[in-house]
Amino acid sequence: MSDAVRKYAMQYAKEYGEEQKQVGIQAGIQAGIKQGADNMLYSLVQDGEIMPENAAKRLQITVSELERLMDEAGYHIPLGVL
């Protein structure tokens, strides 16, 4: 491989790596925002501020899926609500 081709390949790899790094950072930010919003809904359900059906509707999932996700995140639907 010639020196010019090697330099071009290294520069391209560096630029591509930086671009992919930014894509990954943005994906992480978006995932964090979603997780925060989901946890807020879980907290409101656990505190009895909103009904599980309303939270599930906002998340576009079933109530049983909401219950499973809440449990995985350390939240619980209050007894007698379901």
Side-chain angles (χ1 to χ4, degrees):
M1 180 183 305
S2 74
D3 191 43
V5 171
R6 183 176 295 126
K7 285 181 183 179
Y8 173 78
M10 290 177 67
Q11 182 63 29
Y12 178 80
K14 182 179 178 183
E15 290 172 8
Y16 182 77
E18 285 298 317
E19 182 180 303
Q20 291 306 303
K21 180 180 173 182
Q22 291 302 317
V23 169
I25 289 170
Q26 288 302 316
I29 290 170
Q30 292 304 314
I33 290 170
K34 179 171 181 0
Q35 183 178 10
D38 291 355
N39 286 346
M40 176 59 71
L41 286 172
Y42 302 160
S43 177
L44 290 170
V45 170
Q46 180 172 281
D47 293 346
E49 298 293 327
I50 64 171
M51 297 299 295
E53 295 81 5
N54 293 338
K57 183 177 179 182
R58 286 178 182 254
L59 294 169
Q60 299 178 341
I61 58 175
T62 65
V63 173
S64 60
E65 180 72 3
L66 172 69
E67 188 173 15
R68 183 185 67 77
L69 292 172
M70 285 181 64
D71 188 54
E72 288 176 3
Y75 294 91
H76 302 286
I77 295 177
L79 293 175
V81 173
L82 290 179

